[in-house]
Amino acid sequence: LTEAKHGGNKSAKKEGASGSSFFTWFMVIALLGVWTSVAVVWFELVDYEEVLGKLGIYDADGDGDFDMEDAKVLLGNCHEIISSITEFGGNFVGFLCSFIVKKKKPKLLNKFDKSIKAELDAAEKLRKKGKTEEALKAFEALVSKYPQSPRARYGKAQSEDDLAEKMRSNDILQRSITTYGEVANLPNVPDDLIKMALKRRADRQQFLGRMRGSLVTLQKLVDQFPNDTSFKNNLGVGYLLIGDNNNAKKVYKEVLRLAPNDGFAKVHYGFILKAENKIEESIPYLKEGLETGDPGTDDGRFYFHLGDAMQRVGNKEAYKWYELGYQRGHFASVWQRSLYNVKGLKAQPWWTAKETGYTELIKSLEKNWKVIRDEGLAVMDRSKGLFLPEDENLREKGDWSQFTLWQQGRKNENACNSVPKSCALLERFSEATGCRRGQIKYSVMHPGTHVWPHTGPTNCRLRMHLGLVIPKEGCRIRCAQETRFWEEGKILIFDDSFEHEVWQDANTYRLIFIVDVWHPELTAQQRRTLPAI
C-alpha cells in the first residue's frame, strides 16, 4: 500500500514523458553528481544547498525540495537503465542507484503541514538542541493554533517523551503515549508518520509495563498496514511478552506464509516450537533464521536454544553454534552461556571454599549436615507432595523433585516451618538468603534420571551442593569438561552459568541440599540493585 501511494501513482503521472526526456533527466542527475564530486575535491567550489535548490524544479513528490525520493522517481528502474547506458558511466550510476535505494527519507508532512513547515522546523530545532521545555511549549502552541496538523502533534508527543526521560516521570510519559495515539487519529496523516507514532507508542507502553495496551497499538499497525510484515513480527513479540505463545505462534505462522524467508519470524517461530518441546521441529527454523542475518535475529537466546535443541537430538553441530554465539559476543565462552551477566567476574567451572570467601557458611553447612538431612527426610516421609517436580524441561528422563525454602531472596515461611532448624541455620548468611538471583532448596533425584546439559541464567551466583543421602555408585555431575561426585556431609561448589549435566544411575534416591550464593566479586551495591532472576 505504501509503495502504491508514494511510488506507483507518481510514476503514472510521468508516463507521458518520452524516453529521451527520461534519459535527459537521468543524465542531468548523473553528470551533476560527477561534476559536484570533482569540484569539491579540486576546487572546493560547490555550495550543496545551492545545487539542491536548483534541482527543486525537478521535485517529483511534492514536498518542496529535491531529495532521494524524487531521484528515485526520475530514475525509475535503475538496473534496466544502467544496462542500456553503460558506455555513459554506468558504474557511477550504479553507485548512485544503490545509494538511493538504501536511503529512504520518511514522509512526515501532509499538504497542510508543508504550508507551515517553517514554524514546524523552528520548534523541531529547539527539540534537537535539547531545549526540551521550550520545544514542548512551541509544539503545544502549534497544536493549539493548528489542531489539524499531524506533524505538530507528533512533535508535541516527542517533546513530552523527551521531557519524561529528563524528569524520569511516568505521568509525563503517559501523556506522550496519549499524544502519539492522537497523531494517528487525525485526518490526512502520512503513512510514515502513522507508523512512527504508533511504533513509538507501543514501545513506550511496553516500557511502562502496559503490555496489553501495546498489543492494541501493534494490532492497529497491522490492521492499517497489512502488507508490512515487520508490524506482524512486532505484534508477535508483544504476545510473547505477556506469555501468550499461542497467539504469537499464529502471528509468525502468518508472516511465514506471506514471507517464507523472513528470518525474524523464523527464529521466533522456532523459539516457540522449542518451548512446546517440539525439539526436532524447532531446529530448522532457528538455524535458517539465524543464517539470514536479518535484523533482530542476532540474539543470544536463539543461539542458546538452537544449540540446546541440537544437543538434545544428538546433533554435533551444537557447539559450532555455541562457538558462533561466543564470537558474536552473546556468551562469555563456549561453555559459559548464561545470558544475564555482569562483566568482569571471575569465571571458572569449579570453586574451592577458600576461593569463594564464604568459609563460615560452608563450615556451618558441613558441620550440621545431619540436621539438614534429617529435616529433609522427615518432610519426604510426611508428605511427598511438598517436593515439586522439576518444571524447566531439563530432564531427558526420570524423576527429579525439589523443596524450595528461599526463592529470589524471599523466604518461604510455610516451607521453613517444616524444616525450622535448617532455616535458622541459614538466617545469618545473607550471601545465601539475600541472593535474589538464586534459591535454597532440597533436591531429590531418583534412579534412572538424566538431566540434559544446560546452563543457569546468570553468572552472578555460585551454586553449592551439600551431599545428604548419596548412593555409593551411579551419581555424578559434569560441569564444563570435568566430572565430580557427591559425598555425604561435603559440599561441591560450581558456577552453574557453565554447562553442566547430571546422571543418576544408582539403585536408590539421591538427596542433596542446594544453596546459591552471590558471586563473591559482586559489590554490595550490585547485590542490592541487580534485578531478581
Side-chain angles (χ1 to χ4, degrees):
L1 291 178
T2 305
E3 286 181 4
K5 182 172 181 180
H6 295 299
N9 290 344
K10 295 174 202 167
S11 296
K13 294 177 184 178
K14 307 287 181 182
E15 284 176 2
S18 67
S20 60
S21 297
F22 188 88
F23 179 81
T24 300
W25 301 133
F26 178 84
M27 289 308 299
V28 166
I29 297 165
L31 293 175
L32 179 60
V34 174
W35 176 84
T36 299
S37 300
V38 172
V40 167
V41 173
W42 295 105
F43 309 111
E44 297 183 349
L45 294 177
V46 174
D47 181 340
Y48 281 106
E49 294 299 324
E50 182 182 353
V51 171
L52 292 175
K54 289 177 180 177
L55 283 172
I57 61 172
Y58 305 122
D59 175 24
D61 59 7
D63 67 351
D65 60 3
F66 181 88
D67 54 23
M68 289 301 171
E69 287 301 297
D70 304 312
K72 192 174 180 181
V73 172
L74 288 173
L75 292 176
N77 189 323
C78 291
H79 300 290
E80 290 180 11
I81 297 170
I82 291 168
S83 65
S84 66
I85 60 164
T86 303
E87 66 272 24
F88 289 100
N91 288 339
F92 169 76
V93 177
F95 168 77
L96 179 62
C97 289
S98 66
F99 183 75
I100 288 168
V101 170
K102 289 177 183 176
K103 302 287 185 180
K104 183 177 180 182
K105 179 182 175 183
K107 297 300 175 186
L108 306 183
L109 305 181
N110 64 13
K111 186 176 180 180
F112 174 79
D113 280 340
K114 287 174 186 175
S115 72
I116 61 167
K117 188 173 184 296
E119 294 175 80
L120 291 166
D121 287 349
E124 181 64 13
K125 189 174 182 180
L126 291 171
R127 194 182 75 82
K128 288 186 174 178
K129 284 186 173 182
K131 297 179 179 180
T132 311
E133 290 89 346
E134 292 178 53
L136 180 55
K137 287 179 181 177
F139 276 116
E140 285 175 338
L142 287 173
V143 168
S144 178
K145 186 177 179 181
Y146 308 115
Q148 75 277 37
S149 166
R151 182 62 184 88
R153 203 168 296 259
Y154 181 67
K156 177 175 179 278
Q158 286 184 302
S159 299
E160 290 168 336
D161 201 341
D162 294 342
L163 186 60
E165 185 173 345
K166 181 179 178 180
M167 305 297 292
R168 298 183 178 276
S169 168
N170 288 348
D171 290 339
I172 298 174
L173 185 55
Q174 183 55 55
R175 278 167 46 195
S176 79
I177 288 170
T178 301
T179 310
Y180 282 126
E182 291 171 356
V183 174
N185 292 328
L186 289 170
N188 304 314
V189 186
D191 284 352
D192 286 347
L193 190 58
I194 293 175
K195 292 175 183 179
M196 290 171 67
L198 292 183
K199 281 170 68 176
R200 185 61 178 175
R201 184 174 200 257
D203 177 83
R204 297 295 79 193
Q205 286 173 311
Q206 289 174 2
F207 179 81
L208 283 181
R210 313 273 167 80
M211 299 304 177
R212 295 196 178 274
S214 77
L215 279 176
V216 173
T217 302
L218 291 167
Q219 186 64 59
K220 187 172 183 178
L221 274 167
V222 168
D223 293 342
Q224 288 197 239
F225 305 100
N227 294 329
D228 191 329
T229 54
S230 70
F231 296 136
K232 289 185 172 67
N233 280 332
N234 290 338
L235 179 63
V237 171
Y239 280 120
L240 288 173
L241 287 173
I242 64 169
D244 189 348
N245 285 19
N246 289 334
N247 272 318
K249 186 178 181 182
K250 290 176 186 176
V251 170
Y252 290 122
K253 194 171 184 179
E254 171 64 10
V255 172
L256 291 172
R257 184 186 69 80
L258 296 170
N261 297 316
D262 188 304
F264 188 93
K266 279 190 172 184
V267 290
H268 284 83
Y269 192 72
F271 176 84
I272 294 166
L273 288 173
K274 185 170 180 290
E276 294 175 343
N277 210 30
K278 296 175 180 176
I279 305 299
E280 189 117 31
E281 195 179 338
S282 73
I283 291 173
Y285 288 100
L286 288 164
K287 182 173 181 287
E288 292 169 16
L290 282 170
E291 287 172 342
T292 66
D294 286 352
T297 61
D298 189 22
D299 186 307
R301 290 170 296 181
F302 302 130
Y303 289 94
F304 182 100
H305 286 290
L306 174 58
D308 184 65
M310 286 179 163
Q311 281 184 297
R312 294 189 184 201
V313 300
N315 188 326
K316 294 181 180 179
E317 279 194 24
Y319 286 96
K320 166 193 158 185
W321 286 99
Y322 289 146
E323 175 67 30
L324 188 56
Y326 163 62
Q327 291 174 4
R328 302 289 292 180
H330 301 304
F331 306 138
S333 74
V334 172
W335 295 104
Q336 189 181 25
R337 303 190 298 272
S338 52
L339 296 174
Y340 302 93
N341 302 320
V342 169
K343 289 185 179 181
L345 298 180
K346 181 178 180 178
Q348 60 188 43
W350 294 98
W351 289 63
T352 65
K354 185 177 180 180
E355 286 174 324
T356 68
Y358 299 135
T359 52
E360 286 303 311
L361 168 63
I362 293 163
K363 285 178 182 177
S364 180
L365 290 171
E366 290 185 339
K367 180 181 178 181
N368 294 281
W369 76 274
K370 289 183 179 179
V371 172
I372 298 169
R373 178 198 64 187
D374 292 346
E375 286 194 328
L377 290 174
V379 171
M380 285 177 62
D381 292 341
R382 185 168 64 251
S383 174
K384 189 177 180 182
L386 293 176
F387 277 77
L388 302 177
E390 177 273 324
D391 61 358
E392 297 180 64
N393 193 27
L394 298 177
R395 282 171 294 160
E396 177 192 11
K397 59 182 180 178
D399 184 348
W400 175 25
S401 298
Q402 302 173 43
F403 176 49
T404 302
L405 308 179
W406 269 269
Q407 176 90 13
Q408 296 182 334
R410 294 192 299 268
K411 183 180 180 181
N412 184 331
E413 295 289 350
N414 289 334
C416 277
N417 288 338
S418 301
V419 288
K421 294 177 182 177
S422 300
C423 287
L425 206 120
L426 286 160
E427 290 282 9
R428 64 190 181 96
F429 298 105
S430 62
E431 62 266 35
T433 60
C435 181
R436 290 178 297 102
R437 293 197 164 190
Q439 304 146 346
I440 300 174
K441 59 191 177 183
Y442 288 90
S443 171
V444 61
M445 190 175 288
H446 294 276
T449 299
H450 173 234
V451 178
W452 292 112
H454 65 286
T455 62
T458 179
N459 73 338
C460 294
R461 72 187 185 201
L462 300 179
R463 177 155 282 189
M464 300 181 180
H465 280 190
L466 174 64
L468 300 178
V469 178
I470 308 299
K472 289 184 179 180
E473 293 181 346
C475 295
R476 64 192 189 278
I477 178 171
R478 173 183 66 82
C479 186
Q481 295 171 288
E482 184 180 351
T483 299
R484 295 192 182 183
F485 305 87
W486 294 277
E487 294 180 51
E488 291 182 356
K490 298 295 181 183
I491 279 182
L492 288 177
I493 309 166
F494 65 101
D495 183 338
D496 79 326
S497 64
F498 285 82
E499 179 182 294
H500 52 289
E501 182 177 12
V502 176
W503 296 265
Q504 215 289 37
D505 298 322
N507 295 320
T508 185
Y509 67 86
R510 179 227 67 180
L511 179 65
I512 63 173
F513 192 57
I514 297 175
V515 179
D516 290 334
V517 293
W518 285 118
H519 191 291
E521 292 183 352
L522 288 173
T523 66
Q525 170 73 5
Q526 287 171 318
R527 298 181 192 203
R528 284 194 303 270
T529 58
L530 282 169
I533 294 177

